Amino acid sequence: MAVKSLSHNSEAALIKTEQPILGTVLSVQANFYWVRLDSTTENYCLSIDKATTSSNQHVPQQLLCTRRSRLKKMGQQVWVGDRVRIAEPDWNSQRGAIIEVFPRTSELDRPPVANADHILLVFAMANPPLEPLQLSRFLVKAESTQLAVTLCLNKRDLVPQDEQQEWCNRLQKWGYSPILVSLHHRLGLDALTNHLKGHHTIISGPSGVGKSSLINYLIPSVDQRVNSVSGKLGRGRHTTRHVELFELPEGGLVADTPGFNQPELDCYPNQLSQYFPEIHQQLAQHTCQFSNCLHRDEPNCAVRGDWERYEHYLSMLDDAISYQTEQDQRTAKETAMKIKSGQKGHDRVEPKLRTKRYRRKSRRSETQNLQDFCGNVQEMLSYEADD
Ligand code: GDP
Ligand code: ZN
């Protein structure tokens, strides 16, 4: 890979061609990607720059990139959080092209974020009130991503100390140690930033709980936040709903995702229990009689019982059963349809022919059958004649 604009002598150019330019996609809009260059790449370019040029050329930390058409043809999408390799950087205009997307360690599709390793679930202790079932649903959704989950309760300034303690005790039984903070009063925030350091965190939670206030606190430099694709393209950041990653001053990335109030669970009944830490705990000590127990009304179930979130589990189990039914119906429909390529690339979906019994016979096989039949009749007639 060549760093063309920096090559001023052949030796330096030779070293430069071996140095890949790597980075992380921080934001995506339409077909443009802001890529934060790895500090190794940046340092390297700066040192080459100083060694090979007399001018003090500016090497940007981020490049606005397009995606190489080869990637488009392969159907390779570029997501926020993707680790990428860049070619043909133009340092002056801060442009480049993404030529490779490295394999992802994790993928979240709604919203699309690659390589996250942590979810920070933010709720408020009051205003809006902390609803246990809503919190439970967010927790289960977060657990279903298989990423590490941290629970943060904001607005602790609005509830008395004993109520804060009650919530902590209650959530401990759910399997969580929440971090209680107040963004307004700057309380508990060191513990929170420690949890974020070095991680690639997705911030999630209902609206009104203080997620924007948290991002403003974590990334105080407005420039850092506005230096997004939308900014570069001359549009406001909030004109389009898109995910954006921000770099934390202490290291790490956080994703600002649009708030949502009631996440869809989209999980199957047999998966649901994995997303409740209390069930894990119970099953570590006792086992249910049936390995596929849904912990509802099966005999000798080790999970059914008197624990706070059991009601939540049952209500989510109903949703999971409905989800399974929907998926089964969809699969049945899809297997009953087939996609037929039409003219000019217009594909049509047609009902699949059912079992052989119902298929219309081809002319050729009909003719063959008729010939066989005639042969049989002639044979029978000749037998009759012999008799
Ligand atoms: P978001 O919708 O989750 O992004 O929430 P915002 O950050 O927009 O905050 C919603 C409201 O809560 C705003 O009016 C904030 O000023 C307020 N708020 C945020 N943090 C705190 C806090 O620690 N205490 C109190 N009392 N209010 C807060
Ligand atoms: Zn059971």
Side-chain angles (χ1 to χ4, degrees), residues 168-324:
C168 285
N169 299 343
R170 190 170 172 182
L171 293 169
Q172 208 82 45
K173 291 190 193 132
W174 294 18
Y176 297 93
S177 303
I179 304 175
L180 272 49
V181 302
S182 166
L183 281 153
H184 273 190
H185 294 256
R186 297 287 187 258
L187 296 173
L189 295 172
D190 286 347
L192 183 58
T193 41
N194 274 338
H195 267 77
L196 304 178
K197 213 179 278 177
H199 286 288
H200 175 167
T201 300
I202 292 181
I203 298 181
S204 171
S207 50
V209 298
K211 295 184 301 300
S212 313
S213 312
L214 175 62
I215 296 219
N216 287 340
Y217 165 80
L218 294 170
I219 304 118
S221 149
V222 173
D223 287 349
Q224 233 171 317
R225 278 177 280 126
V226 173
N227 189 15
S228 61
V229 171
S230 43
K232 184 76 178 175
L233 298 177
R235 297 181 208 141
R237 181 177 154 236
H238 292 288
T239 50
T240 323
R241 289 184 75 165
H242 67 282
V243 191
E244 215 166 318
L245 280 183
F246 301 116
E247 289 190 282
L248 297 170
E250 295 87 7
L253 295 165
V254 290
D256 174 21
T257 62
F260 51 104
N261 279 315
Q262 199 66 270
E264 295 292 325
L265 283 184
D266 298 351
C267 87
Y268 292 104
N270 60 353
Q271 295 174 318
L272 186 63
S273 60
Q274 299 163 30
Y275 310 143
F276 285 76
E278 319 85 306
I279 299 187
H280 273 292
Q281 239 172 8
Q282 279 153 306
L283 289 178
Q285 289 160 8
H286 310 280
T287 44
C288 299
Q289 181 177 340
F290 298 104
S291 59
N292 59 353
C293 185
L294 290 180
H295 320 303
R296 204 168 27 178
D297 38 26
E298 296 89 338
N300 300 321
C301 169
V303 168
R304 184 178 56 239
D306 187 19
W307 49 284
E308 188 188 352
R309 290 210 296 166
Y310 185 54
E311 288 302 316
H312 297 179
Y313 170 78
L314 288 180
S315 95
M316 287 184 233
L317 185 63
D318 284 344
D319 294 349
I321 290 168
S322 310
Y323 178 71
Q324 167 110 56

Side-chain angles (χ1 to χ4, degrees), residues 31-308:
N31 297 318
F32 291 95
Y33 310 88
W34 260 121
V35 178
R36 166 70 164 89
L37 302 179
D38 287 2
S39 52
T40 46
T41 304
E42 187 191 313
N43 292 340
Y44 172 81
C45 292
L46 278 167
S47 61
I48 291 293
D49 187 32
K50 289 215 175 87
T52 56
T53 60
S54 51
S55 68
N56 216 354
Q57 195 176 7
H58 172 66
V59 178
Q61 294 184 337
Q62 296 186 20
L63 293 180
L64 185 60
C65 296
T66 51
R67 178 176 51 150
R68 267 290 161 75
S69 50
R70 189 178 60 84
L71 293 181
K72 260 182 234 170
K73 278 183 203 144
M74 284 161 54
Q76 173 68 64
Q77 298 204 337
V78 181
W79 286 4
V80 158
D82 264 327
R83 299 278 304 141
V84 295
R85 184 200 288 259
I86 291 169
E88 295 170 15
D90 179 337
W91 303 114
N92 290 326
S93 65
Q94 253 183 290
R95 300 285 173 137
I98 296 174
I99 55 163
E100 187 177 355
V101 179
F102 293 102
R104 295 168 180 155
T105 55
S106 72
E107 282 186 348
L108 290 190
D109 55 354
R110 271 177 288 165
V113 181
N115 301 323
D117 62 0
H118 182 212
I119 292 192
L120 178 71
L121 196 52
V122 184
F123 266 72
M125 302 202 79
N127 193 21
L130 188 45
E131 297 281 351
L133 181 58
Q134 190 196 31
L135 173 58
S136 221
R137 292 181 76 91
F138 268 85
L139 283 168
V140 166
K141 180 78 186 178
E143 295 288 353
S144 74
T145 62
Q146 319 278 339
L147 306 182
V149 178
T150 301
L151 175 60
C152 167
L153 300 181
N154 184 30
K155 308 199 191 184
R156 62 184 266 190
D157 54 287
L158 297 182
V159 300
Q161 191 74 35
D162 53 348
E163 199 180 316
Q164 292 178 29
Q165 194 53 51
E166 267 168 37
W167 268 112
C168 285
N169 299 343
R170 190 170 172 182
L171 293 169
Q172 208 82 45
K173 291 190 193 132
W174 294 18
Y176 297 93
S177 303
I179 304 175
L180 272 49
V181 302
S182 166
L183 281 153
H184 273 190
H185 294 256
R186 297 287 187 258
L187 296 173
L189 295 172
D190 286 347
L192 183 58
T193 41
N194 274 338
H195 267 77
L196 304 178
K197 213 179 278 177
H199 286 288
H200 175 167
T201 300
I202 292 181
I203 298 181
S204 171
S207 50
V209 298
K211 295 184 301 300
S212 313
S213 312
L214 175 62
I215 296 219
N216 287 340
Y217 165 80
L218 294 170
I219 304 118
S221 149
V222 173
D223 287 349
Q224 233 171 317
R225 278 177 280 126
V226 173
N227 189 15
S228 61
V229 171
S230 43
K232 184 76 178 175
L233 298 177
R235 297 181 208 141
R237 181 177 154 236
H238 292 288
T239 50
T240 323
R241 289 184 75 165
H242 67 282
V243 191
E244 215 166 318
L245 280 183
F246 301 116
E247 289 190 282
L248 297 170
E250 295 87 7
L253 295 165
V254 290
D256 174 21
T257 62
F260 51 104
N261 279 315
Q262 199 66 270
E264 295 292 325
L265 283 184
D266 298 351
C267 87
Y268 292 104
N270 60 353
Q271 295 174 318
L272 186 63
S273 60
Q274 299 163 30
Y275 310 143
F276 285 76
E278 319 85 306
I279 299 187
H280 273 292
Q281 239 172 8
Q282 279 153 306
L283 289 178
Q285 289 160 8
H286 310 280
T287 44
C288 299
Q289 181 177 340
F290 298 104
S291 59
N292 59 353
C293 185
L294 290 180
H295 320 303
R296 204 168 27 178
D297 38 26
E298 296 89 338
N300 300 321
C301 169
V303 168
R304 184 178 56 239
D306 187 19
W307 49 284
E308 188 188 352

